[in-house]
Amino acid sequence: MDLLADNPPECVHEEHIEIPWSSVKKVRSRFVAVAGKEAVVQGFRRGRVPASVLVRRFERELVEALKDGLIPRCLSEAAAHRDIHVAYGPVVTDVKYREGQPLEAAGVFEVFPKFEIGEYRGLELLRPQVEATDEMVANRLEELREQHATYQNLDPRPIADGDIALVSLKGQDLSGEQAFDLEEEQVRVGHSTTIPEFSEALRGSVPGDALEFEVAFPAGHRDRKMAGKTLRVEGRVTALQVRELPDLDDELAKDIDSGTDTLEELREAVRKEVEVGAREQVERLLGNQVYSLLARANTMPLPVHFLRDRVDQAWSAVRREAGLPKDAPIPDDLENRYIQRESVRTRAELVLMRIALLEGISVPAEEIDQFVRAYGQEQQMTPERAAVEARDIGLLEQFKLHRILEKALRFVLDEAEYLDAASDDEPEEGRELNPDAGSGE
């Protein structure tokens, strides 16, 4: 990793230090004590090798130990006194070790560049027209109705598209390793979400029939046991079922929400839920506009490896959700899109942090205490222990950063000027953190 070669000059800081011999000697003594127990040196018994011999024999290993611990810590302490904002590092670039002399070392940090902040008050934002319509309420009620559907067995007959088949199936790959074992599983024959080979095998069968077929799963399938494999599937059709939806009435309203007695009360509760969702969507779209506008107005260069880490984290989350292998590479077109998106987010967050500093925005102690108490209850810890652990694992800093960004964004939104957008007009900056905005890459 060459931070100097990979980064623009504004994103690099070099630090040179001298570490007193007294500090180096402590590390050397611990190293010698450990190495001396196991080291085998010709002419000496194990455990009896003099320290001077061990240091000469294992000088390279000693320097590596210093590069892993003492040197990065001292470099970071030195950088903490500079007017810089570290993004990554240090990477140790040079070490001069001489017995009995101060240790000379150098390291490189990735840093966020200094920049002149653009205008952030009075931003013109298009207010999206997102409303809680009767249709949205009706759709939500229908979703709740479907969640309370029941299934009844039908008299046996040949299964056709649109039917629901109850099956018990086992799948093995061609080496005999079991990939799945399904008991009494419902399959919607011919449905768009059903794997075609399953529908094909079920068409024309009747309850009681044995099934045997093969199915090839795509490499990107969410289940790693099946991804990219051809499986041999065996099993039996248990039943043919029909889904019955309950009537949308007062009785269903009580089943869905014990706090309601009538369908009208449930409809009103659903309307409030939909209204909250609509307001949250407006806030998200407005926040996306702010991020895009701030990124466009502040096109500072970005640290390369820091940005790479953000892209990797985003792709890791997608891999986990999709069930892809841990080493699955990100497609080139998707990687470019992620780089652009994370560039927008990073630039906007840097600006929001500067706004928070200029406007005196901070996280009050009571909010921090509340977060620590909640974390302690979740982890079944005392508040004192929770505070120590949350600090040590970096959770407390993450919380404070998140809250400062939220508060700074709220400040910008409160200071903005709003224009009403037509109901069918989605502002460009309102889209999913428009990845082309201010990318500058």
Side-chain angles (χ1 to χ4, degrees):
M1 180 184 303
D2 191 339
L3 298 187
L4 282 172
D6 294 344
N7 277 287
E10 303 95 323
C11 295
V12 174
H13 171 75
E14 294 185 79
E15 191 71 50
H16 298 265
I17 57 172
E18 278 194 358
I19 304 175
W21 172 247
S22 57
S23 298
V24 177
K25 187 177 180 180
K26 291 178 182 178
V27 177
R28 189 199 68 164
S29 297
R30 290 194 296 268
F31 177 86
V32 167
V34 173
K37 292 179 181 179
E38 300 295 333
V40 177
V41 179
Q42 188 174 2
F44 298 94
R45 287 187 297 167
R46 178 174 294 183
R48 297 290 186 177
V49 183
S52 58
V53 174
L54 288 169
V55 170
R56 288 196 303 273
R57 181 74 176 268
F58 298 106
E59 181 176 316
R60 180 180 299 176
E61 290 80 0
L62 171 58
V63 171
E64 288 301 316
L66 291 167
K67 289 170 68 174
D68 287 341
L70 179 64
I71 295 174
R73 184 170 71 250
C74 291
L75 284 168
S76 295
E77 289 172 355
H81 297 287
R82 312 289 188 188
D83 183 22
I84 58 174
H85 183 185
V86 173
Y88 183 88
V91 173
V92 179
T93 57
D94 187 37
V95 179
K96 292 182 180 178
Y97 173 85
R98 292 165 296 182
E99 186 75 9
Q101 299 295 316
L103 185 146
E104 298 178 25
V108 179
F109 294 85
E110 267 194 347
V111 297
F112 294 109
K114 295 179 172 61
F115 61 95
E116 295 296 327
I117 190 170
E119 185 56 59
Y120 59 88
R121 292 175 182 268
L123 295 182
E124 287 191 354
L125 304 179
L126 292 179
R127 191 187 301 277
Q129 299 298 310
V130 181
E131 299 178 357
T133 63
D134 292 342
E135 182 181 2
M136 294 167 66
V137 174
N139 289 341
R140 178 57 182 154
L141 286 171
E142 190 62 24
E143 289 176 4
L144 294 171
R145 184 184 177 212
E146 291 187 2
Q147 290 172 12
H148 286 73
T150 58
Y151 294 86
Q152 302 298 327
N153 289 348
L154 297 176
D155 292 335
R157 62 164 172 78
I159 294 172
D161 284 351
D163 287 338
I164 298 172
L166 197 65
V167 299
S168 293
L169 299 172
K170 292 183 179 180
Q172 295 180 335
D173 63 23
L174 300 183
S175 69
E177 182 180 354
Q178 183 167 295
F180 62 82
D181 186 354
L182 305 177
E183 289 290 337
E184 303 292 297
E185 186 79 7
Q186 290 176 329
V187 178
R188 301 176 67 179
V189 180
H191 194 269
S192 61
T193 60
T194 300
I195 296 173
E197 288 88 342
F198 280 74
S199 293
E200 181 64 29
L202 285 165
R203 287 190 189 99
S205 65
V206 297
D209 281 356
L211 297 175
E212 185 174 346
F213 59 97
E214 288 189 353
V215 54
F217 288 86
H221 192 271
R222 63 180 177 274
D223 192 321
R224 298 177 188 173
K225 290 183 178 180
M226 296 182 273
K229 295 182 179 180
T230 296
L231 302 185
R232 183 181 297 109
V233 182
E234 297 179 352
R236 186 171 299 278
V237 183
T238 305
L240 172 64
Q241 295 188 326
V242 63
R243 185 178 65 158
E244 295 183 351
L245 293 175
D247 292 333
L248 197 57
D249 55 17
D250 293 347
E251 290 303 314
L252 179 61
K254 294 175 184 177
D255 290 341
I256 292 174
D257 185 348
S258 60
T260 61
D261 293 321
T262 67
L263 177 59
E264 286 308 311
E265 289 180 2
L266 177 63
R267 182 175 281 110
E268 185 59 29
V270 167
R271 182 175 295 280
K272 291 180 180 178
E273 174 190 315
V274 171
E275 288 173 347
V276 169
R279 288 195 295 270
E280 290 176 348
Q281 184 179 0
V282 168
E283 287 293 301
R284 284 194 298 272
L285 293 174
L286 289 172
N288 286 349
Q289 287 186 62
V290 170
Y291 266 57
S292 291
L293 290 172
L294 292 180
R296 286 178 175 176
N298 299 273
T299 56
M300 74 289 284
L302 296 176
V304 171
H305 291 283
F306 173 85
L307 187 60
R308 179 73 257 173
D309 282 347
R310 289 194 64 149
V311 171
D312 289 344
Q313 290 169 18
W315 175 236
S316 295
V318 172
R319 279 203 313 261
R320 287 193 299 271
E321 186 175 343
L324 296 174
K326 290 182 179 180
D327 58 352
I330 182 172
D332 290 342
D333 58 337
L334 192 57
E335 180 177 33
N336 291 333
R337 185 175 179 83
Y338 276 29
I339 289 173
Q340 292 171 342
R341 187 186 69 179
E342 294 306 321
S343 295
V344 171
R345 288 180 170 169
T346 301
R347 289 190 174 96
E349 288 173 2
L350 289 173
V351 175
L352 289 172
M353 292 298 292
R354 180 73 64 82
I355 292 171
L357 182 64
L358 294 174
E359 302 295 340
I361 297 171
S362 61
V363 183
E366 53 267 26
E367 280 193 35
I368 296 174
D369 291 342
Q370 185 178 5
F371 169 78
V372 169
R373 285 196 300 271
Y375 178 70
Q377 291 173 358
E378 179 184 329
Q379 301 297 321
Q380 297 183 335
M381 298 178 178
T382 63
E384 293 77 16
R385 183 182 171 195
V388 172
E389 178 167 305
R391 183 193 65 234
D392 290 346
I393 65 177
L395 197 60
L396 198 57
E397 283 303 312
Q398 290 178 19
F399 167 74
K400 290 193 288 188
L401 174 61
H402 177 72
R403 287 296 293 137
I404 286 175
L405 290 174
E406 281 187 336
K407 289 169 180 280
L409 176 59
R410 183 73 264 164
F411 177 87
V412 175
L413 289 171
D414 289 344
E415 294 289 319
E417 296 181 4
Y418 292 90
L419 306 174
D420 288 330
S423 58
D424 60 348
D425 178 25
E426 182 187 9
E428 182 180 358
E429 293 84 359
R431 299 191 182 116
E432 177 59 24
L433 279 180
N434 178 18
D436 298 321
S439 65
E441 306 304 327

